Amino acid sequence: LALALAVDERRPLVGVVAINPPQPDRDALEGLEWMIERGHDRIDAPRLADGESGYSSLPTVALVEMARGILAIDLDAVSVPVLLVTSALDEVVDPATADHLAELLAAKATVTRLTLPNSGHVASLGPDRDMLVEAIDRFCENVT
């Protein structure tokens, strides 16, 4: 979501697809900065769902930059349609955070929700990927 909205500043978007986006969390940023101050350059990655591939650890500096980028987003200013995708089995981003994001975005944007019942964080590789692709196709057809 942060990258798409950063692109929107340079070239207006007609819509955004956000798959398992984390919500802004100042406490998480402060915790990561605390870890860096104490010499932790990597943290263990969360457990992935069966069949998913991913990283075993993540660079702390990269996570700090991601958290800063997310905190910099003015969600109240988003006015393009948004497809907000949530994986029910996500071990990285709490699926409940999507409700809060949807509320914030709904101030100016039309938000379409999709829950992938059998997928984890890496939804594009999960068992619901066909459902995800179909939803993105429909969304793109409707916003263009």
PDB file of all heavy atoms in Angstrom, residues 7-35:
ATOM      1  N   VAL A   7       3.837   5.974  -5.501  1.00  0.00           N
ATOM      2  CA  VAL A   7       3.781   6.090  -6.959  1.00  0.00           C
ATOM      3  C   VAL A   7       2.700   7.086  -7.353  1.00  0.00           C
ATOM      4  O   VAL A   7       2.861   7.880  -8.279  1.00  0.00           O
ATOM      5  CB  VAL A   7       3.519   4.710  -7.608  1.00  0.00           C
ATOM      6  CG1 VAL A   7       3.165   4.856  -9.074  1.00  0.00           C
ATOM      7  CG2 VAL A   7       4.731   3.814  -7.436  1.00  0.00           C
ATOM      8  N   ASP A   8       1.586   7.083  -6.635  1.00  0.00           N
ATOM      9  CA  ASP A   8       0.465   7.963  -6.949  1.00  0.00           C
ATOM     10  C   ASP A   8       0.867   9.432  -6.905  1.00  0.00           C
ATOM     11  O   ASP A   8       0.291  10.255  -7.600  1.00  0.00           O
ATOM     12  CB  ASP A   8      -0.686   7.698  -5.966  1.00  0.00           C
ATOM     13  CG  ASP A   8      -1.943   8.482  -6.329  1.00  0.00           C
ATOM     14  OD1 ASP A   8      -2.306   8.480  -7.515  1.00  0.00           O
ATOM     15  OD2 ASP A   8      -2.538   9.087  -5.418  1.00  0.00           O
ATOM     16  N   GLU A   9       1.863   9.771  -6.093  1.00  0.00           N
ATOM     17  CA  GLU A   9       2.331  11.153  -6.026  1.00  0.00           C
ATOM     18  C   GLU A   9       2.971  11.582  -7.344  1.00  0.00           C
ATOM     19  O   GLU A   9       2.982  12.754  -7.684  1.00  0.00           O
ATOM     20  CB  GLU A   9       3.325  11.322  -4.888  1.00  0.00           C
ATOM     21  CG  GLU A   9       2.692  11.172  -3.520  1.00  0.00           C
ATOM     22  CD  GLU A   9       3.712  11.250  -2.398  1.00  0.00           C
ATOM     23  OE1 GLU A   9       4.929  11.392  -2.668  1.00  0.00           O
ATOM     24  OE2 GLU A   9       3.286  11.153  -1.237  1.00  0.00           O
ATOM     25  N   ARG A  10       3.519  10.629  -8.102  1.00  0.00           N
ATOM     26  CA  ARG A  10       4.195  10.941  -9.367  1.00  0.00           C
ATOM     27  C   ARG A  10       3.287  10.764 -10.572  1.00  0.00           C
ATOM     28  O   ARG A  10       3.410  11.480 -11.559  1.00  0.00           O
ATOM     29  CB  ARG A  10       5.420  10.035  -9.531  1.00  0.00           C
ATOM     30  CG  ARG A  10       6.463  10.298  -8.488  1.00  0.00           C
ATOM     31  CD  ARG A  10       7.742   9.545  -8.791  1.00  0.00           C
ATOM     32  NE  ARG A  10       8.681   9.813  -7.732  1.00  0.00           N
ATOM     33  CZ  ARG A  10       9.218   8.871  -6.985  1.00  0.00           C
ATOM     34  NH1 ARG A  10       8.936   7.616  -7.196  1.00  0.00           N
ATOM     35  NH2 ARG A  10      10.055   9.195  -6.031  1.00  0.00           N
ATOM     36  N   ARG A  11       2.409   9.801 -10.500  1.00  0.00           N
ATOM     37  CA  ARG A  11       1.514   9.492 -11.618  1.00  0.00           C
ATOM     38  C   ARG A  11       0.212   8.985 -11.004  1.00  0.00           C
ATOM     39  O   ARG A  11       0.198   7.922 -10.380  1.00  0.00           O
ATOM     40  CB  ARG A  11       2.150   8.413 -12.492  1.00  0.00           C
ATOM     41  CG  ARG A  11       1.317   8.056 -13.675  1.00  0.00           C
ATOM     42  CD  ARG A  11       2.055   7.063 -14.539  1.00  0.00           C
ATOM     43  NE  ARG A  11       1.160   6.591 -15.563  1.00  0.00           N
ATOM     44  CZ  ARG A  11       1.378   5.539 -16.303  1.00  0.00           C
ATOM     45  NH1 ARG A  11       2.473   4.845 -16.121  1.00  0.00           N
ATOM     46  NH2 ARG A  11       0.520   5.179 -17.209  1.00  0.00           N
ATOM     47  N   PRO A  12      -0.867   9.717 -11.171  1.00  0.00           N
ATOM     48  CA  PRO A  12      -2.116   9.345 -10.502  1.00  0.00           C
ATOM     49  C   PRO A  12      -2.567   7.910 -10.808  1.00  0.00           C
ATOM     50  O   PRO A  12      -2.485   7.446 -11.938  1.00  0.00           O
ATOM     51  CB  PRO A  12      -3.122  10.356 -11.054  1.00  0.00           C
ATOM     52  CG  PRO A  12      -2.290  11.517 -11.482  1.00  0.00           C
ATOM     53  CD  PRO A  12      -0.983  10.935 -11.959  1.00  0.00           C
ATOM     54  N   LEU A  13      -3.017   7.244  -9.769  1.00  0.00           N
ATOM     55  CA  LEU A  13      -3.501   5.875  -9.881  1.00  0.00           C
ATOM     56  C   LEU A  13      -5.007   5.871 -10.119  1.00  0.00           C
ATOM     57  O   LEU A  13      -5.701   6.819  -9.792  1.00  0.00           O
ATOM     58  CB  LEU A  13      -3.206   5.116  -8.580  1.00  0.00           C
ATOM     59  CG  LEU A  13      -1.757   5.002  -8.150  1.00  0.00           C
ATOM     60  CD1 LEU A  13      -1.671   4.329  -6.785  1.00  0.00           C
ATOM     61  CD2 LEU A  13      -0.957   4.220  -9.173  1.00  0.00           C
ATOM     62  N   VAL A  14      -5.490   4.751 -10.662  1.00  0.00           N
ATOM     63  CA  VAL A  14      -6.937   4.583 -10.803  1.00  0.00           C
ATOM     64  C   VAL A  14      -7.464   3.609  -9.753  1.00  0.00           C
ATOM     65  O   VAL A  14      -8.670   3.498  -9.554  1.00  0.00           O
ATOM     66  CB  VAL A  14      -7.338   4.109 -12.219  1.00  0.00           C
ATOM     67  CG1 VAL A  14      -6.984   5.174 -13.246  1.00  0.00           C
ATOM     68  CG2 VAL A  14      -6.681   2.786 -12.569  1.00  0.00           C
ATOM     69  N   GLY A  15      -6.576   2.898  -9.081  1.00  0.00           N
ATOM     70  CA  GLY A  15      -6.963   1.956  -8.043  1.00  0.00           C
ATOM     71  C   GLY A  15      -5.736   1.352  -7.394  1.00  0.00           C
ATOM     72  O   GLY A  15      -4.626   1.454  -7.920  1.00  0.00           O
ATOM     73  N   VAL A  16      -5.951   0.730  -6.227  1.00  0.00           N
ATOM     74  CA  VAL A  16      -4.855   0.103  -5.479  1.00  0.00           C
ATOM     75  C   VAL A  16      -5.318  -1.277  -5.022  1.00  0.00           C
ATOM     76  O   VAL A  16      -6.433  -1.428  -4.513  1.00  0.00           O
ATOM     77  CB  VAL A  16      -4.480   0.941  -4.236  1.00  0.00           C
ATOM     78  CG1 VAL A  16      -3.490   0.199  -3.353  1.00  0.00           C
ATOM     79  CG2 VAL A  16      -3.919   2.286  -4.641  1.00  0.00           C
ATOM     80  N   VAL A  17      -4.458  -2.281  -5.218  1.00  0.00           N
ATOM     81  CA  VAL A  17      -4.672  -3.610  -4.655  1.00  0.00           C
ATOM     82  C   VAL A  17      -3.692  -3.756  -3.503  1.00  0.00           C
ATOM     83  O   VAL A  17      -2.478  -3.662  -3.702  1.00  0.00           O
ATOM     84  CB  VAL A  17      -4.442  -4.724  -5.703  1.00  0.00           C
ATOM     85  CG1 VAL A  17      -4.587  -6.098  -5.058  1.00  0.00           C
ATOM     86  CG2 VAL A  17      -5.401  -4.571  -6.878  1.00  0.00           C
ATOM     87  N   ALA A  18      -4.217  -3.941  -2.302  1.00  0.00           N
ATOM     88  CA  ALA A  18      -3.379  -4.095  -1.105  1.00  0.00           C
ATOM     89  C   ALA A  18      -3.582  -5.496  -0.556  1.00  0.00           C
ATOM     90  O   ALA A  18      -4.688  -5.847  -0.144  1.00  0.00           O
ATOM     91  CB  ALA A  18      -3.756  -3.047  -0.064  1.00  0.00           C
ATOM     92  N   ILE A  19      -2.525  -6.298  -0.581  1.00  0.00           N
ATOM     93  CA  ILE A  19      -2.602  -7.691  -0.134  1.00  0.00           C
ATOM     94  C   ILE A  19      -1.904  -7.813   1.216  1.00  0.00           C
ATOM     95  O   ILE A  19      -0.700  -7.603   1.323  1.00  0.00           O
ATOM     96  CB  ILE A  19      -1.957  -8.644  -1.163  1.00  0.00           C
ATOM     97  CG1 ILE A  19      -2.630  -8.470  -2.529  1.00  0.00           C
ATOM     98  CG2 ILE A  19      -2.053 -10.089  -0.683  1.00  0.00           C
ATOM     99  CD1 ILE A  19      -1.944  -9.208  -3.658  1.00  0.00           C
ATOM    100  N   ASN A  20      -2.676  -8.118   2.234  1.00  0.00           N
ATOM    101  CA  ASN A  20      -2.171  -8.296   3.604  1.00  0.00           C
ATOM    102  C   ASN A  20      -1.313  -7.118   4.078  1.00  0.00           C
ATOM    103  O   ASN A  20      -0.213  -7.328   4.607  1.00  0.00           O
ATOM    104  CB  ASN A  20      -1.393  -9.612   3.722  1.00  0.00           C
ATOM    105  CG  ASN A  20      -2.255 -10.809   3.448  1.00  0.00           C
ATOM    106  OD1 ASN A  20      -3.415 -10.844   3.839  1.00  0.00           O
ATOM    107  ND2 ASN A  20      -1.717 -11.802   2.769  1.00  0.00           N
ATOM    108  N   PRO A  21      -1.806  -5.884   3.909  1.00  0.00           N
ATOM    109  CA  PRO A  21      -0.984  -4.749   4.334  1.00  0.00           C
ATOM    110  C   PRO A  21      -1.011  -4.575   5.847  1.00  0.00           C
ATOM    111  O   PRO A  21      -2.053  -4.717   6.479  1.00  0.00           O
ATOM    112  CB  PRO A  21      -1.668  -3.559   3.658  1.00  0.00           C
ATOM    113  CG  PRO A  21      -3.101  -3.958   3.606  1.00  0.00           C
ATOM    114  CD  PRO A  21      -3.086  -5.453   3.358  1.00  0.00           C
ATOM    115  N   PRO A  22       0.141  -4.268   6.440  1.00  0.00           N
ATOM    116  CA  PRO A  22       0.139  -3.967   7.877  1.00  0.00           C
ATOM    117  C   PRO A  22      -0.426  -2.575   8.107  1.00  0.00           C
ATOM    118  O   PRO A  22      -0.363  -1.719   7.224  1.00  0.00           O
ATOM    119  CB  PRO A  22       1.619  -4.025   8.243  1.00  0.00           C
ATOM    120  CG  PRO A  22       2.336  -3.735   6.974  1.00  0.00           C
ATOM    121  CD  PRO A  22       1.464  -4.248   5.863  1.00  0.00           C
ATOM    122  N   GLN A  23      -0.991  -2.362   9.260  1.00  0.00           N
ATOM    123  CA  GLN A  23      -1.486  -1.027   9.576  1.00  0.00           C
ATOM    124  C   GLN A  23      -0.378  -0.216  10.226  1.00  0.00           C
ATOM    125  O   GLN A  23       0.571  -0.785  10.766  1.00  0.00           O
ATOM    126  CB  GLN A  23      -2.715  -1.090  10.466  1.00  0.00           C
ATOM    127  CG  GLN A  23      -2.462  -1.473  11.897  1.00  0.00           C
ATOM    128  CD  GLN A  23      -3.745  -1.427  12.717  1.00  0.00           C
ATOM    129  OE1 GLN A  23      -4.842  -1.380  12.191  1.00  0.00           O
ATOM    130  NE2 GLN A  23      -3.601  -1.437  14.012  1.00  0.00           N
ATOM    131  N   PRO A  24      -0.487   1.106  10.178  1.00  0.00           N
ATOM    132  CA  PRO A  24       0.524   1.935  10.839  1.00  0.00           C
ATOM    133  C   PRO A  24       0.619   1.607  12.328  1.00  0.00           C
ATOM    134  O   PRO A  24      -0.398   1.466  13.001  1.00  0.00           O
ATOM    135  CB  PRO A  24      -0.008   3.358  10.622  1.00  0.00           C
ATOM    136  CG  PRO A  24      -0.924   3.252   9.444  1.00  0.00           C
ATOM    137  CD  PRO A  24      -1.514   1.876   9.510  1.00  0.00           C
ATOM    138  N   ASP A  25       1.857   1.453  12.826  1.00  0.00           N
ATOM    139  CA  ASP A  25       2.049   1.074  14.231  1.00  0.00           C
ATOM    140  C   ASP A  25       3.323   1.729  14.766  1.00  0.00           C
ATOM    141  O   ASP A  25       4.429   1.236  14.555  1.00  0.00           O
ATOM    142  CB  ASP A  25       2.138  -0.446  14.338  1.00  0.00           C
ATOM    143  CG  ASP A  25       2.195  -0.943  15.770  1.00  0.00           C
ATOM    144  OD1 ASP A  25       2.494  -0.148  16.683  1.00  0.00           O
ATOM    145  OD2 ASP A  25       1.958  -2.151  15.973  1.00  0.00           O
ATOM    146  N   ARG A  26       3.153   2.858  15.442  1.00  0.00           N
ATOM    147  CA  ARG A  26       4.298   3.596  15.988  1.00  0.00           C
ATOM    148  C   ARG A  26       5.059   2.765  17.022  1.00  0.00           C
ATOM    149  O   ARG A  26       6.279   2.828  17.118  1.00  0.00           O
ATOM    150  CB  ARG A  26       3.827   4.912  16.592  1.00  0.00           C
ATOM    151  CG  ARG A  26       4.961   5.838  16.890  1.00  0.00           C
ATOM    152  CD  ARG A  26       4.546   7.279  17.026  1.00  0.00           C
ATOM    153  NE  ARG A  26       3.783   7.840  15.933  1.00  0.00           N
ATOM    154  CZ  ARG A  26       4.271   8.215  14.746  1.00  0.00           C
ATOM    155  NH1 ARG A  26       5.550   8.048  14.503  1.00  0.00           N
ATOM    156  NH2 ARG A  26       3.507   8.734  13.820  1.00  0.00           N
ATOM    157  N   ASP A  27       4.344   1.947  17.809  1.00  0.00           N
ATOM    158  CA  ASP A  27       5.010   1.103  18.808  1.00  0.00           C
ATOM    159  C   ASP A  27       5.945   0.094  18.146  1.00  0.00           C
ATOM    160  O   ASP A  27       7.037  -0.180  18.649  1.00  0.00           O
ATOM    161  CB  ASP A  27       3.988   0.373  19.675  1.00  0.00           C
ATOM    162  CG  ASP A  27       3.226   1.315  20.601  1.00  0.00           C
ATOM    163  OD1 ASP A  27       3.747   2.406  20.904  1.00  0.00           O
ATOM    164  OD2 ASP A  27       2.115   0.953  21.010  1.00  0.00           O
ATOM    165  N   ALA A  28       5.505  -0.470  17.016  1.00  0.00           N
ATOM    166  CA  ALA A  28       6.359  -1.423  16.303  1.00  0.00           C
ATOM    167  C   ALA A  28       7.632  -0.733  15.814  1.00  0.00           C
ATOM    168  O   ALA A  28       8.725  -1.293  15.917  1.00  0.00           O
ATOM    169  CB  ALA A  28       5.601  -2.038  15.127  1.00  0.00           C
ATOM    170  N   LEU A  29       7.486   0.481  15.290  1.00  0.00           N
ATOM    171  CA  LEU A  29       8.656   1.232  14.824  1.00  0.00           C
ATOM    172  C   LEU A  29       9.622   1.484  15.974  1.00  0.00           C
ATOM    173  O   LEU A  29      10.826   1.251  15.847  1.00  0.00           O
ATOM    174  CB  LEU A  29       8.226   2.555  14.194  1.00  0.00           C
ATOM    175  CG  LEU A  29       9.363   3.494  13.768  1.00  0.00           C
ATOM    176  CD1 LEU A  29      10.280   2.826  12.758  1.00  0.00           C
ATOM    177  CD2 LEU A  29       8.796   4.797  13.250  1.00  0.00           C
ATOM    178  N   GLU A  30       9.105   1.916  17.108  1.00  0.00           N
ATOM    179  CA  GLU A  30       9.968   2.180  18.258  1.00  0.00           C
ATOM    180  C   GLU A  30      10.668   0.904  18.738  1.00  0.00           C
ATOM    181  O   GLU A  30      11.838   0.931  19.110  1.00  0.00           O
ATOM    182  CB  GLU A  30       9.157   2.808  19.387  1.00  0.00           C
ATOM    183  CG  GLU A  30       8.723   4.229  19.070  1.00  0.00           C
ATOM    184  CD  GLU A  30       7.771   4.817  20.098  1.00  0.00           C
ATOM    185  OE1 GLU A  30       7.520   4.178  21.145  1.00  0.00           O
ATOM    186  OE2 GLU A  30       7.275   5.928  19.856  1.00  0.00           O
ATOM    187  N   GLY A  31       9.957  -0.222  18.695  1.00  0.00           N
ATOM    188  CA  GLY A  31      10.563  -1.497  19.088  1.00  0.00           C
ATOM    189  C   GLY A  31      11.687  -1.912  18.161  1.00  0.00           C
ATOM    190  O   GLY A  31      12.734  -2.391  18.603  1.00  0.00           O
ATOM    191  N   LEU A  32      11.494  -1.698  16.864  1.00  0.00           N
ATOM    192  CA  LEU A  32      12.535  -2.029  15.893  1.00  0.00           C
ATOM    193  C   LEU A  32      13.751  -1.121  16.064  1.00  0.00           C
ATOM    194  O   LEU A  32      14.902  -1.568  15.997  1.00  0.00           O
ATOM    195  CB  LEU A  32      11.981  -1.925  14.467  1.00  0.00           C
ATOM    196  CG  LEU A  32      10.977  -2.999  14.077  1.00  0.00           C
ATOM    197  CD1 LEU A  32      10.242  -2.599  12.807  1.00  0.00           C
ATOM    198  CD2 LEU A  32      11.660  -4.349  13.910  1.00  0.00           C
ATOM    199  N   GLU A  33      13.497   0.166  16.282  1.00  0.00           N
ATOM    200  CA  GLU A  33      14.609   1.096  16.502  1.00  0.00           C
ATOM    201  C   GLU A  33      15.386   0.721  17.762  1.00  0.00           C
ATOM    202  O   GLU A  33      16.613   0.800  17.793  1.00  0.00           O
ATOM    203  CB  GLU A  33      14.084   2.529  16.578  1.00  0.00           C
ATOM    204  CG  GLU A  33      13.605   3.049  15.231  1.00  0.00           C
ATOM    205  CD  GLU A  33      12.864   4.376  15.305  1.00  0.00           C
ATOM    206  OE1 GLU A  33      12.335   4.722  16.387  1.00  0.00           O
ATOM    207  OE2 GLU A  33      12.816   5.059  14.267  1.00  0.00           O
ATOM    208  N   TRP A  34      14.682   0.293  18.796  1.00  0.00           N
ATOM    209  CA  TRP A  34      15.313  -0.159  20.038  1.00  0.00           C
ATOM    210  C   TRP A  34      16.224  -1.351  19.755  1.00  0.00           C
ATOM    211  O   TRP A  34      17.342  -1.431  20.265  1.00  0.00           O
ATOM    212  CB  TRP A  34      14.217  -0.529  21.038  1.00  0.00           C
ATOM    213  CG  TRP A  34      14.709  -0.992  22.370  1.00  0.00           C
ATOM    214  CD1 TRP A  34      14.992  -0.219  23.461  1.00  0.00           C
ATOM    215  CD2 TRP A  34      14.956  -2.349  22.767  1.00  0.00           C
ATOM    216  NE1 TRP A  34      15.407  -1.000  24.511  1.00  0.00           N
ATOM    217  CE2 TRP A  34      15.392  -2.321  24.108  1.00  0.00           C
ATOM    218  CE3 TRP A  34      14.847  -3.575  22.129  1.00  0.00           C
ATOM    219  CZ2 TRP A  34      15.719  -3.477  24.811  1.00  0.00           C
ATOM    220  CZ3 TRP A  34      15.173  -4.721  22.820  1.00  0.00           C
ATOM    221  CH2 TRP A  34      15.605  -4.662  24.156  1.00  0.00           C
ATOM    222  N   MET A  35      15.751  -2.280  18.901  1.00  0.00           N
ATOM    223  CA  MET A  35      16.554  -3.458  18.561  1.00  0.00           C
ATOM    224  C   MET A  35      17.837  -3.063  17.828  1.00  0.00           C
ATOM    225  O   MET A  35      18.918  -3.591  18.106  1.00  0.00           O
ATOM    226  CB  MET A  35      15.736  -4.438  17.718  1.00  0.00           C
ATOM    227  CG  MET A  35      14.608  -5.095  18.490  1.00  0.00           C
ATOM    228  SD  MET A  35      13.622  -6.180  17.446  1.00  0.00           S
ATOM    229  CE  MET A  35      14.768  -7.539  17.271  1.00  0.00           C
TER     230      MET A  35
END
